[in-house]
Every structure is written in C-alpha cells, then in structure tokens.
Amino acid sequence: MASKSESQVQGKAEAAPPGEIETLLGEVLEGLSPEISSARGAVSVKVPPDRLKEAAERLKAAGFDHVKAVTGIDRPDSGEIELVYHVSSYLDPRLSKWIVALRTTLPRDNPETPSLYDVWPSVKYHEMEQREMLGIHFSGHPDPRSLLLPESYEGVPPLRKDFKVKVEGINA
Amino acid sequence: MMGLLEWILDLLLSPWLFVPLIYPGLISAFAVLLFIIWFERKLAAKVQLRYGPLYVLKRLGGAIQLVADLLRYLFAEPIVPDQADRLAFIFGPILLFASSYIAAIAIPISYDFYAFRSEISLLVVLGLNTLAPAFNLVIGWGSNNKFGLIGGLREGFLITADEIPMFVSALAMAVLYGTMDLVRMVELQSEWLWGIALNPLAAVTFFVLMLLSTSRFPFEIVEAESEIVMGPFTEYSGILYGLTMGASYVKLYVLSLLFAILFLGGWEPLPPLEFPGSWLILPGAVLFLKALVIMCLSVFMRAVYPRYRIDQALRLAWHYLFPASILSVFLSLLVLSGWSI
Amino acid sequence: MSEEEHVLELLIGPQHPASGHMRLVAKVDGDVVVSLRPDIGYVHRTVEKLAETKNYIQIIPLIERPPLADTANHNLGYVLALERLLGIEAPPRAQWLRTLLAEMTRIHSHFYGLGIHGIMLGSSTAFMWAFWDREIMIELAQRLTGARLTYSYMIPGGVRRDLPPGFEDEMDKALRYLERRIPDYHKIFFDNPVTRARLEGVGVLRREDAIRLGIVGPNLRASGVPYDVRKVDPYCAYPELDFNVVTREEGDSLARMMVRVGEIRESINMIRQILKKMPDGPILEERYLKMIPPKWKEWMAQHRRIKLPAALISLRPPKGEAVARVEAARGEAVYYIVSDGSPKPYRFRVVSPSIRNVVLFEHLIRNCRVADIPAIYGSLDYFPPEADR
Amino acid sequence: MVCGISGSMWLGDLERTARKAARWLVERTPIRSLRDWGIAFSLWPVHFTTACCGAEFAAASAPRFDAERFGFLPFVAPRQCNLMLIEGTLTKKMADAAIWVYEQMPEPKFVIAMGACAIDGGIFWNSYNIVRPKDILPVEVFIPGCPPRPEAVARAVIKLQKRIRRGEAIGLKV
Amino acid sequence: MTDRRWSSPVFRLKGHLDAILTGAKYLITPRATVRYPEEVIELPEGYRGFIEYKKDICISCGLCATVCPANAMKMYVERAAEPGEEAPAEEVKPKRYPGINYTRCIFCGFCVDVCPTGALEHVETHDVAYEDFNSMIYPPGEFAAGPPKPEFDTPPRRLRPTMDERRGIAYEPAD
C-alpha cells in the first residue's frame, strides 16, 4: 500500500499512525467485500453496487456524518461509470482527519443506484448534479429537477466522455 | 404694458396664488426636491468616504444631478404594462404627487401671509397629508405586479400605524397651545418657549413618525429594494417614476414645515416686521431653513441605518410610538398646568 | 381555501436587487414565506468539463473564476491536490507565502460577504465601508501578485512571486488600520439596534441540522461545530500558526455574521505571525527551479519573481487520483483530480463551499417573513458563481 | 411577473401623431443636446449580475473608485434604468433573463459588456453553456480584462458618455 | 450566549445614539476616493496589465500560445516576402509570431512568465475600453506596435498609494 510513503510526502498525516483508518474501515465494512486502499489524500473503499447503501449506513453509524462530494467518473473504455462518495466526519476528531472515498461502479448504459439521501441528506445537490451531468439515475432521490443546466437541455450528459467540447490549437 | 406686468405680479404675490404655486407650494417643492435628493446622496457618500454625484457640474459638487436625472426621465419611453390598470397606473403617480404637496397650502409662512387661516388649519394639514399613502395603494394594485402588490399592502399597514400616533402627537401640541391655528401657535411660541422645549416627547415622536410615514431609513419598508424591488413603483418608468420618487420627498418637505411650525417656533424669532417686502422673504426664509435642517436630519438616517422589517416597524409604532404620543398629550396637560400655576 | 388560492408565488431573481445570480422561487402566504426553492445554474460555466480540455497549469486561472472574491484559497486547494498527485511539495517559504495570501484573501472575501449582507439589509454604509476596507487587502495582494483578484499566484511546486520590498511595514500599517475600523463597524452596523432586530433569532440553523445537511465554513461554525480544515487537516504553514477556531452557539444570522468578523480578527493575527516567522529560501521546488535557463537567475533575484519553466506547461502526473481540501473563506473546498497519465486531467471535480451551502436556502428560509429572505441570504455569504462553477 | 410592453401611453390615431410630433421636437438641436446631456450624466445600470465580474463592478461603485461621480447609480428595477452592464459570462439560462430585462428597460437604453467572458467567453470561450452578449444585444462598449479593473469600468462609462453626447449612441432598438 | 443587554430599551437607545454619532463622525473623515480620470493610481511594479511585445527578440517558440489558458495568444504565420518574389530564402520561409486577442485574454501573465527571451512584458495599462469588437484582436504586427493606451482629456495626476494607519491608503504624488 502506498499510504505510508504518500503520507510522508504530504507531511500532514503524522497525527494518526498509517493503517489505523484502514483497520477501522475493515471492521466497519466487514462482510461487504470492500477493497480498501489508500490514495493520495483519501482512503478508498470499493464495494459492489448492491452493497453501496448498506456500506453507507454502516459508515454513518461509525461516525462518518457527512458527504463532501459525489463524483461520477465516466469510463467508456470499460463501459462503466465509477461513482465516488467522499465521506468524512465533523464531530469525531479521530475521523475528521480522513476522507473516505466510498466507491462503486455502475454499468454505463444503464447507470442506476439507490440514492443515499436517506443516509446522508447532504448528498442531495451533489446527486442532482451527477444525475444531469452523467445521466446516473438515483432511485429514491426526492428532487427530480435539473440543477445547473437549463430545463430545456437535451442530449448527451455533458460530463460523459462522448460529449465533446470545441478545442483550438495554438495557431491562428 | 407695465400695468399688465404689475397686475400679474400682484396676482402672483397674492397669497392665494403664491402659497400653492410658489412657496411653500409647487415651485419651492420642486426646488427642495432637487436639492434634498442630491443632498441625501452627497451626505450618504460623505459618510461612506466617497464623493457621490460630482461631474455633472463639478464646480458645485454635482448639485444639478437631479436635473440630469429628470431630463432622462422626461425623454425616456413611458411604458404602461399591458396587464396594468391604465387609469390607475397613469393617474396614480400624478395624484400621489399632488396629494403629497397639497397640504402645503394650509401652511402659513408669516403672521400675515397665508392662503387661508382657520381655527383648524393643523387638522387640514394633517388630513390632507394622509391622502398620499392611499395612492400608493392604488399604484401598487394598479400596476399588477406582485412586488407592487406586496408594497401596496405594506403601505396599507403602515398608514394606520404612522398616521394615528402622528395625529395624536400633533394634537398634543394643539392641547398645549389651546388652538389648532398654526399662526396662533407660532405667536404663542414667541411668548412662551419653542414647542420642542415644552414638549420634547411629542417632538421626538413626531420626528420618528415623520421618518416612518415618508419611508425614510430605517423605515424604508414600502419600497425596500432588497426585498420587493421598488414596491409599488416597480413597474414605473420615465417621468411617472420621477413623480413617485419625488412624492415621498415632497411629503417630507411638508411635514418638515409643519414640524418647524409646531416645535421650532415657525418663523420665530422674527417679530412682525414693518417695512414692505420683508413680510414675504424673511419669515419665509427662516421657516424654510428650519424645515431644511429637519429634512437634512431625516435624510442623514440613510447613511446610518439598515431597514426594519415591516412587523418590527409596526411593533415599534404601536408599542412605543403610540403610547409615547398619548403620553405626550398628558405631558402637554402637565406643562400647561405647570405654566398656569 | 386550497393552498394554491392563498399562496402567492414570488419569483425573486435573476434580476432582482438581492437575488444575485440565481432565482429564488418563494411561496408567500401573507407576509410569511411558506417555502422557498433555489433555482441555481445561472452561472454554470462548466468548469469541470473545460478542465478536461486544459493542461494542468491552465486550470489554475479556470478554477479561480468561480469563487471570485476568494481566489487564493481555491487556487491553493487545487495546487495541493495537484502536488499530491505529482508527489512534490513546495519549499517552506512558498508554503508560508501561500498561507499569507490565503489569509489576506480570507479577509477581503469576508469583507465582501459583510458588505453584501449590509446592502441586503439596506445599510448602504456597511456595503461601502466593507468594500473600502477590502481595497486595503486587495492593494497589498496586488503588490504581491500583480493582480487585484485573480492572482493565479500558486503554481505546482511553489509560488510565482516573492514578497516585494517593504511589504512587512506596509502590511503592519494596514492591519492596524483594519483593527481601528472594526469598532466603528460595530457601532454603525453590527451593534446597530436595527441590525440586531433584523438578524437576531432569524434563520436559526441548529447544530444537528448543520451536520446532517453537510454545511461548511462559517455557517457551520456559527452553529457550534468547531470544524475547520486548518485545524483538522492542517496544510501549508497552518500547523505552526497559533489561531482559534471562531465558533458561536446560536446559529442565527447574527451568529454567522459575527463568526466572519471573528475570523477577520483571527486572520489579522495570523498575518502578523506569518510575517514574523516567514523562513528564507527558494519559492519554487528545486527540480523546476533547475529547469529555468540560468540567464534568468539574476533577473529573478532582482524582480523577486520566477520564470515559469517550460516543463510546467505540460505536466504529466502519474496515473491515479488525489483529493485535497482547504478551508476557503466561505468554507471547505474539496478538489478531486483523476489522472490517466496524460497532460490533461481525466476527471476534475470541484466541490465549492457554496454548492454545499445551497441547501440552506430551502432549509432556513421557511416560515419566516419576506423581509427575512435577504437577511438570511446575506448571512450565508453564498456566492452563486462559486456554487454553479 | 408577466408584463407586456406597450410602446406608449397614448391611444388610437392620436398616438401616431403625438409620437411623430414628439420625435420631431426631440430631434431639434437644443432639445436634443439637452436630452443627451441628461442621459449621459444619468446612466443607471440595472442590478443584473450575470457572473463574477459583479465583484469588480461593485468595487467600481465603492468608495475608492466611486462611479457615482459620473451620475452612475446602480438601480433596482429595469423599468427605471437605461444601462445594462453585462458583468461577465452570460450563460444560456441567464441569456434568456438578459433579453427579458433588456426588453423591459425603457428606451433609450445602452449595453456595456464587461470582462473577457462578456466579449468572447474569455477562459470559458469553449464552454457549452455560454452565450456571447454581442450576438443577442446591441453592445456599445466592451471592457477587456478578467475581471476588468474598476478604472476600466469608469473608462467605459466615460466612453459611453462621450458617444451619447456625440450622438453616436442613440440607444434605440432599430 | 444571546446578549441579554439588548432586551433593555435603554441599551437599545444607546445603540441608536452610537450609530448616529458614528455616522456624524464620518462626516468629517477624509474621503477615500481617487478621482479617476483626473487622478490615476500608480500600480506596483509587475502589475499584470496589457502586454508589450518585442518582436525583434521573439524566437517563435510558441510557448506563450501553448500556455495560454484562454487560447487568447495565437501563433500567426508571417513571411517577410511572398513566395516567388525575389528574396533570400529565409525571408520567404514562414515564421510564426504570437498575436493576442484581448476579447479572451484573462491577464494571468503565464505567457509573460514563460517567455524564454523576455519578448513579452506587462505594462501598467489596464483601463482601456473598446467600441469595436475586432479592434481588440492584435495580430503580431499590431501587437508589436505597442499596447493600447487610454486617452485622457487632461493629463492625469499620478498618485502612489501607501498604507496609512489612520486613513487606510494614503496617496502621494508619484511624479
């Protein structure tokens, strides 16, 4: 695992001994077949899509009380959309130091996943944004509106890789 | 030829034309309007560490800024929204402006110069003054705009909250002087003391209510821009908007004149003067200056205050100002009994 | 009567003196707001998509535009994420310079928020004063970076310019001026009875709601949660600085405003410490410094700024991803970069504080009065371009 | 707030005659130069912030630069204003509002495009969600910069004042 | 934590008086305004204004156009002589020079900082407004002719800002 060398590079994470958070996550998510790895700045936990909500509930119970970001990553090469919830805690100073990236992969042609709004109400606007930007359907989300794009927007969701924007070279 | 000129001059200088048309009526009201709006902007700008209007006439600090604004209003396209009530929309501002200044006709400007003198001229001024807010309601309804409607309704609440205590605090002075004749009131103040010294409570109450009824800060609630855009005037453009904007300043002007007469001794300390011509200029100027000071004080509040919420303003009016105005009546009685002992 | 018959729907914005760049759809029953729905997206400029078409260094100006008054903190967040991805770290002096600019930006950004709050309550003086005192920090930041707001000051591996000569003295005078001014602000605005009446007890955000909804920044701290990234996950020079996390318990609009005022005071103290403790040394990481042609060395020392090495133009971070969070003026900003090894990011995610706070509109502006809409809005220091990105 | 726009408060045939007469009168030199003088010193931009340049626009009205010296007073509702400053990027959603607001303003009215984004998109030139203001509104003056300094806003106001007084900017829909 | 004193009317009255007196105090405080077209703030060294281009030392490396985040800097092909004309071969050979498009430029200064020869430099000018869209685009020739200059009716007084403990920013004449 890269966590040790990374944390030294950052020079920030000395406060907690490396490995502590991974152990904790392993305990919390036991039985959900999580893949835990440390990336730069966050600890990554990958669970199968059908276990996402359960994992979220357990993390919530363990003290991760809010979501910082919901990010969808379109990967047309593997036909998947990766969905990442960056989770952390306000109240527990032991957990606040860490950002946990709870991730799962969805099929690209029909990305559907239960909304985590019931678990963390803080995902509300993030999920709305990912829905219109990547076309992910969050079942059970309370607000069906579009968030940033005009209501009349039609076509490929903009953050999909097959949505191309104009680029120019350096020559006039 | 000379005869004609003299006749016209005589006619103009006769109180029945001079008072409504020249001073304290229409023309001086416009002059005050031009001055006080510019002054308000300059005063706020000074407190805010900046200049305010300047380049339109740099030598006088941009004093004719309002002329430029008025010219622009005048030449701007007059827009009447399709869904507005045309009659109310067009005549609302005109009547609002007219009713704001009409009370000026009952204000005397010297012991022997007035359009009319009556035993109840105070009531006439107060009564005519109460007309104006009603047209705010008409405007707010007539322009068929949601913000206009809310602004109009706010005005509706405020009318009762400000006019009643204002009546009472003005009547407290009538109780004190034993008359409602404004000329007589000034006479009595020259014999006794100025009203503000006799009954300071009524003066303060009246002043705050003046701010409230002319929607100066902190009571700029009817056209609270950050909440309801311009309130009743949201849809107005061009010269009609100019009228609506001017109306509250004109009302402030009339009320300031009244304040000067009730509390600041009117044209005191000038005694009735003998030499010709002076009856017009000097007492009028003294009264005008006093009113001007009051107006400047009122517009200074813009630089100091945020605005109250409507319910807070109403609470202030009903919980504090209304009892204060009642108290000021008793204070008047007290002073009166003290005086007569 | 059915609900539709006595509820008036008010569309506030996008052209409205207090709407900013958004629309608020308020349902009003009499003078009471029954519900309010924020309609955002009026400044959605597609930063995340455009970032995929730009080289890493070109993204620096890009992410500065959305949070305009608070550029340096966001610049820092992005650069920290990028440095994590690249596995480099800026030299100590650069770290301190970054912290300096971040705190200066925090001061002028908070003044911006206070000024906007002032004008929303109708106090034009508060607006004008705040925008004047902002200019002090902007003037100094301009000497340091060469621009008023969009500094683009922090680059991967360091910063672009060093302190100009005489900066410490000028900063000292400026800070003393600001400290003199704050009591006057109290008298005319914060402690003005009208302001108090408008803000006290208005828009109360309870502690558990703040946590549940994932609120960030001063709005969170005003509800009694002492969460500040500068303490929780310190970056740059913050571990060596002595400062307090300003919190209030009430959670109302006044508390949110006063937290900002408290943070201005803390930032003033921090800047003093930074200028005292600033270490000497290079301001760019050595490996990039070496790439600058030697003929520029003298020029760089003389002008106290660096030349961009050509290698920075097309940075190719290794495949992988990185997350960084910073405490920006309006709250915690999270930057998440996914790299596929090419000179352009594969996926770039900005989570600005405002998008996390937008939920407060529908949560707080409910069962309050119409006049409370701007009072609460102003207290949130919400900046629509930052939310829409 | 649905409000249609009616060009005039007059009715029937009277309307045409009156309009003609009014226009004839306004076009005479002394009246016209008086009008242009009034407009030039009474440019009221409407409170319509389209993007982040609004921060520098506010700084231009703030004490250090004080655009009110030119009679430039940011005002609340489109009906009372005669100047529209596009403050930065105009997104598609905002462009609809911009046209709406411009339509609501009484003639004569002027448009200034502030900032690179409002001219050609600036750093967001290839964004899928922006509109170039010059394509939808008659822009009189462009202010480059990102964001432009408050002095540049003042410069644009001076430039527009000069154009108005020279009769180059008439501010009417053609 | 709520301040109990605010429930007392007397305390609130004091608050009103304080506010009004503070307002009055600022009636005699000096103003902070720089009267712009007559007075101009002198900008610090290294201010990122318009860009000056020295074509003679440009080596056509194209780094400026590569780094430009807004694609405002573009390389234009220029020949000293048209092909077919009687000219030395290297003059017919196309050379590329940068031109700038101020409709997009965001004044980040990356191009200036990356230029290996110092052919690009910032000038202090920043306060130019244009009436014509196309005049904001500067191909190499016009770019090299110098940055745009604002016109002043009367020569402005230049003021240098310095920090001041009492006034915030004080100005002294720069000339």
Side-chain angles (χ1 to χ4, degrees), chain E residues 28-46:
Chain E
I28 50 167
T29 311
R31 294 182 175 94
T33 307
V34 179
R35 297 197 301 273
Y36 166 63
E38 300 151 38
E39 300 170 344
V40 171
I41 301 173
E42 197 189 55
L43 292 167
E45 191 209 330

PDB file of all heavy atoms in Angstrom, chain E residues 28-46:
ATOM      1  N   ILE E  28     -16.748  64.121   8.942  1.00  0.00           N
ATOM      2  CA  ILE E  28     -15.534  64.937   8.877  1.00  0.00           C
ATOM      3  C   ILE E  28     -14.288  64.090   8.608  1.00  0.00           C
ATOM      4  O   ILE E  28     -13.178  64.587   8.682  1.00  0.00           O
ATOM      5  CB  ILE E  28     -15.347  65.749  10.183  1.00  0.00           C
ATOM      6  CG1 ILE E  28     -15.469  64.832  11.390  1.00  0.00           C
ATOM      7  CG2 ILE E  28     -16.342  66.883  10.270  1.00  0.00           C
ATOM      8  CD1 ILE E  28     -14.994  65.459  12.668  1.00  0.00           C
ATOM      9  N   THR E  29     -14.481  62.823   8.274  1.00  0.00           N
ATOM     10  CA  THR E  29     -13.335  61.987   7.924  1.00  0.00           C
ATOM     11  C   THR E  29     -13.002  62.207   6.447  1.00  0.00           C
ATOM     12  O   THR E  29     -13.920  62.318   5.637  1.00  0.00           O
ATOM     13  CB  THR E  29     -13.693  60.504   8.155  1.00  0.00           C
ATOM     14  OG1 THR E  29     -14.266  60.398   9.449  1.00  0.00           O
ATOM     15  CG2 THR E  29     -12.479  59.616   8.072  1.00  0.00           C
ATOM     16  N   PRO E  30     -11.723  62.271   6.112  1.00  0.00           N
ATOM     17  CA  PRO E  30     -11.409  62.483   4.697  1.00  0.00           C
ATOM     18  C   PRO E  30     -11.880  61.335   3.821  1.00  0.00           C
ATOM     19  O   PRO E  30     -11.967  60.185   4.257  1.00  0.00           O
ATOM     20  CB  PRO E  30      -9.884  62.608   4.674  1.00  0.00           C
ATOM     21  CG  PRO E  30      -9.413  62.181   6.000  1.00  0.00           C
ATOM     22  CD  PRO E  30     -10.534  62.303   6.958  1.00  0.00           C
ATOM     23  N   ARG E  31     -12.163  61.668   2.573  1.00  0.00           N
ATOM     24  CA  ARG E  31     -12.692  60.663   1.648  1.00  0.00           C
ATOM     25  C   ARG E  31     -11.583  59.734   1.181  1.00  0.00           C
ATOM     26  O   ARG E  31     -10.402  60.036   1.279  1.00  0.00           O
ATOM     27  CB  ARG E  31     -13.288  61.344   0.427  1.00  0.00           C
ATOM     28  CG  ARG E  31     -14.504  62.176   0.721  1.00  0.00           C
ATOM     29  CD  ARG E  31     -15.000  62.750  -0.584  1.00  0.00           C
ATOM     30  NE  ARG E  31     -16.252  63.468  -0.404  1.00  0.00           N
ATOM     31  CZ  ARG E  31     -16.314  64.767  -0.185  1.00  0.00           C
ATOM     32  NH1 ARG E  31     -15.217  65.477  -0.076  1.00  0.00           N
ATOM     33  NH2 ARG E  31     -17.479  65.359  -0.051  1.00  0.00           N
ATOM     34  N   ALA E  32     -11.990  58.603   0.643  1.00  0.00           N
ATOM     35  CA  ALA E  32     -11.017  57.612   0.187  1.00  0.00           C
ATOM     36  C   ALA E  32     -10.945  57.545  -1.332  1.00  0.00           C
ATOM     37  O   ALA E  32     -10.205  56.755  -1.879  1.00  0.00           O
ATOM     38  CB  ALA E  32     -11.397  56.238   0.733  1.00  0.00           C
ATOM     39  N   THR E  33     -11.727  58.379  -2.004  1.00  0.00           N
ATOM     40  CA  THR E  33     -11.879  58.210  -3.445  1.00  0.00           C
ATOM     41  C   THR E  33     -10.677  58.752  -4.222  1.00  0.00           C
ATOM     42  O   THR E  33     -10.142  59.800  -3.880  1.00  0.00           O
ATOM     43  CB  THR E  33     -13.139  58.944  -3.911  1.00  0.00           C
ATOM     44  OG1 THR E  33     -14.220  58.502  -3.109  1.00  0.00           O
ATOM     45  CG2 THR E  33     -13.432  58.670  -5.357  1.00  0.00           C
ATOM     46  N   VAL E  34     -10.306  58.031  -5.235  1.00  0.00           N
ATOM     47  CA  VAL E  34      -9.371  58.543  -6.234  1.00  0.00           C
ATOM     48  C   VAL E  34     -10.230  59.024  -7.388  1.00  0.00           C
ATOM     49  O   VAL E  34     -10.987  58.247  -7.950  1.00  0.00           O
ATOM     50  CB  VAL E  34      -8.426  57.434  -6.709  1.00  0.00           C
ATOM     51  CG1 VAL E  34      -7.494  57.973  -7.759  1.00  0.00           C
ATOM     52  CG2 VAL E  34      -7.668  56.872  -5.550  1.00  0.00           C
ATOM     53  N   ARG E  35     -10.128  60.301  -7.722  1.00  0.00           N
ATOM     54  CA  ARG E  35     -10.994  60.817  -8.799  1.00  0.00           C
ATOM     55  C   ARG E  35     -10.411  60.382 -10.124  1.00  0.00           C
ATOM     56  O   ARG E  35      -9.576  61.072 -10.704  1.00  0.00           O
ATOM     57  CB  ARG E  35     -11.089  62.337  -8.689  1.00  0.00           C
ATOM     58  CG  ARG E  35     -11.742  62.782  -7.402  1.00  0.00           C
ATOM     59  CD  ARG E  35     -12.205  64.208  -7.494  1.00  0.00           C
ATOM     60  NE  ARG E  35     -11.106  65.111  -7.780  1.00  0.00           N
ATOM     61  CZ  ARG E  35     -10.323  65.653  -6.854  1.00  0.00           C
ATOM     62  NH1 ARG E  35     -10.538  65.400  -5.596  1.00  0.00           N
ATOM     63  NH2 ARG E  35      -9.350  66.455  -7.188  1.00  0.00           N
ATOM     64  N   TYR E  36     -10.898  59.258 -10.607  1.00  0.00           N
ATOM     65  CA  TYR E  36     -10.139  58.535 -11.623  1.00  0.00           C
ATOM     66  C   TYR E  36      -9.673  59.290 -12.870  1.00  0.00           C
ATOM     67  O   TYR E  36      -8.478  59.373 -13.077  1.00  0.00           O
ATOM     68  CB  TYR E  36     -10.819  57.231 -12.022  1.00  0.00           C
ATOM     69  CG  TYR E  36     -10.250  56.651 -13.282  1.00  0.00           C
ATOM     70  CD1 TYR E  36      -8.933  56.246 -13.325  1.00  0.00           C
ATOM     71  CD2 TYR E  36     -10.994  56.591 -14.438  1.00  0.00           C
ATOM     72  CE1 TYR E  36      -8.379  55.779 -14.475  1.00  0.00           C
ATOM     73  CE2 TYR E  36     -10.441  56.112 -15.595  1.00  0.00           C
ATOM     74  CZ  TYR E  36      -9.131  55.711 -15.620  1.00  0.00           C
ATOM     75  OH  TYR E  36      -8.585  55.251 -16.763  1.00  0.00           O
ATOM     76  N   PRO E  37     -10.521  59.873 -13.674  1.00  0.00           N
ATOM     77  CA  PRO E  37      -9.871  60.378 -14.901  1.00  0.00           C
ATOM     78  C   PRO E  37      -8.914  61.538 -14.629  1.00  0.00           C
ATOM     79  O   PRO E  37      -8.077  61.833 -15.453  1.00  0.00           O
ATOM     80  CB  PRO E  37     -11.031  60.818 -15.783  1.00  0.00           C
ATOM     81  CG  PRO E  37     -12.256  60.531 -15.051  1.00  0.00           C
ATOM     82  CD  PRO E  37     -11.931  60.154 -13.655  1.00  0.00           C
ATOM     83  N   GLU E  38      -9.048  62.188 -13.477  1.00  0.00           N
ATOM     84  CA  GLU E  38      -8.107  63.259 -13.175  1.00  0.00           C
ATOM     85  C   GLU E  38      -6.904  62.737 -12.411  1.00  0.00           C
ATOM     86  O   GLU E  38      -5.807  63.270 -12.533  1.00  0.00           O
ATOM     87  CB  GLU E  38      -8.789  64.342 -12.322  1.00  0.00           C
ATOM     88  CG  GLU E  38      -9.972  64.981 -12.983  1.00  0.00           C
ATOM     89  CD  GLU E  38     -10.981  65.456 -11.963  1.00  0.00           C
ATOM     90  OE1 GLU E  38     -10.563  65.953 -10.909  1.00  0.00           O
ATOM     91  OE2 GLU E  38     -12.181  65.320 -12.226  1.00  0.00           O
ATOM     92  N   GLU E  39      -7.158  61.742 -11.585  1.00  0.00           N
ATOM     93  CA  GLU E  39      -6.076  61.165 -10.803  1.00  0.00           C
ATOM     94  C   GLU E  39      -5.987  59.680 -11.132  1.00  0.00           C
ATOM     95  O   GLU E  39      -7.010  59.032 -11.317  1.00  0.00           O
ATOM     96  CB  GLU E  39      -6.363  61.313  -9.309  1.00  0.00           C
ATOM     97  CG  GLU E  39      -6.506  62.735  -8.864  1.00  0.00           C
ATOM     98  CD  GLU E  39      -7.026  62.837  -7.432  1.00  0.00           C
ATOM     99  OE1 GLU E  39      -7.556  61.840  -6.908  1.00  0.00           O
ATOM    100  OE2 GLU E  39      -6.897  63.907  -6.862  1.00  0.00           O
ATOM    101  N   VAL E  40      -4.791  59.200 -11.217  1.00  0.00           N
ATOM    102  CA  VAL E  40      -4.612  57.793 -11.565  1.00  0.00           C
ATOM    103  C   VAL E  40      -3.747  57.148 -10.494  1.00  0.00           C
ATOM    104  O   VAL E  40      -2.755  57.723 -10.064  1.00  0.00           O
ATOM    105  CB  VAL E  40      -3.953  57.673 -12.952  1.00  0.00           C
ATOM    106  CG1 VAL E  40      -3.568  56.237 -13.222  1.00  0.00           C
ATOM    107  CG2 VAL E  40      -4.884  58.164 -14.017  1.00  0.00           C
ATOM    108  N   ILE E  41      -4.152  55.974 -10.063  1.00  0.00           N
ATOM    109  CA  ILE E  41      -3.354  55.251  -9.082  1.00  0.00           C
ATOM    110  C   ILE E  41      -2.149  54.636  -9.784  1.00  0.00           C
ATOM    111  O   ILE E  41      -2.306  53.971 -10.808  1.00  0.00           O
ATOM    112  CB  ILE E  41      -4.184  54.131  -8.429  1.00  0.00           C
ATOM    113  CG1 ILE E  41      -5.402  54.708  -7.747  1.00  0.00           C
ATOM    114  CG2 ILE E  41      -3.350  53.353  -7.437  1.00  0.00           C
ATOM    115  CD1 ILE E  41      -6.350  53.668  -7.217  1.00  0.00           C
ATOM    116  N   GLU E  42      -0.995  54.877  -9.233  1.00  0.00           N
ATOM    117  CA  GLU E  42       0.182  54.232  -9.817  1.00  0.00           C
ATOM    118  C   GLU E  42       0.210  52.785  -9.360  1.00  0.00           C
ATOM    119  O   GLU E  42       0.080  52.487  -8.179  1.00  0.00           O
ATOM    120  CB  GLU E  42       1.450  54.941  -9.369  1.00  0.00           C
ATOM    121  CG  GLU E  42       2.607  54.567 -10.247  1.00  0.00           C
ATOM    122  CD  GLU E  42       3.919  55.083  -9.695  1.00  0.00           C
ATOM    123  OE1 GLU E  42       4.250  54.788  -8.543  1.00  0.00           O
ATOM    124  OE2 GLU E  42       4.590  55.789 -10.437  1.00  0.00           O
ATOM    125  N   LEU E  43       0.385  51.904 -10.318  1.00  0.00           N
ATOM    126  CA  LEU E  43       0.321  50.494  -9.985  1.00  0.00           C
ATOM    127  C   LEU E  43       1.705  49.982  -9.619  1.00  0.00           C
ATOM    128  O   LEU E  43       2.709  50.525 -10.061  1.00  0.00           O
ATOM    129  CB  LEU E  43      -0.253  49.725 -11.167  1.00  0.00           C
ATOM    130  CG  LEU E  43      -1.718  50.071 -11.387  1.00  0.00           C
ATOM    131  CD1 LEU E  43      -2.194  49.565 -12.709  1.00  0.00           C
ATOM    132  CD2 LEU E  43      -2.554  49.484 -10.271  1.00  0.00           C
ATOM    133  N   PRO E  44       1.752  48.935  -8.804  1.00  0.00           N
ATOM    134  CA  PRO E  44       3.054  48.429  -8.375  1.00  0.00           C
ATOM    135  C   PRO E  44       3.821  47.821  -9.540  1.00  0.00           C
ATOM    136  O   PRO E  44       3.235  47.461 -10.562  1.00  0.00           O
ATOM    137  CB  PRO E  44       2.677  47.355  -7.351  1.00  0.00           C
ATOM    138  CG  PRO E  44       1.311  46.945  -7.724  1.00  0.00           C
ATOM    139  CD  PRO E  44       0.644  48.165  -8.250  1.00  0.00           C
ATOM    140  N   GLU E  45       5.111  47.705  -9.348  1.00  0.00           N
ATOM    141  CA  GLU E  45       5.939  47.078 -10.363  1.00  0.00           C
ATOM    142  C   GLU E  45       5.446  45.650 -10.557  1.00  0.00           C
ATOM    143  O   GLU E  45       5.130  44.956  -9.605  1.00  0.00           O
ATOM    144  CB  GLU E  45       7.388  47.081  -9.869  1.00  0.00           C
ATOM    145  CG  GLU E  45       8.380  46.694 -10.921  1.00  0.00           C
ATOM    146  CD  GLU E  45       9.608  46.031 -10.321  1.00  0.00           C
ATOM    147  OE1 GLU E  45       9.948  46.366  -9.174  1.00  0.00           O
ATOM    148  OE2 GLU E  45      10.197  45.184 -11.000  1.00  0.00           O
ATOM    149  N   GLY E  46       5.365  45.247 -11.804  1.00  0.00           N
ATOM    150  CA  GLY E  46       4.951  43.882 -12.068  1.00  0.00           C
ATOM    151  C   GLY E  46       3.453  43.716 -12.110  1.00  0.00           C
ATOM    152  O   GLY E  46       2.951  42.600 -12.073  1.00  0.00           O
TER     153      GLY E  46
END
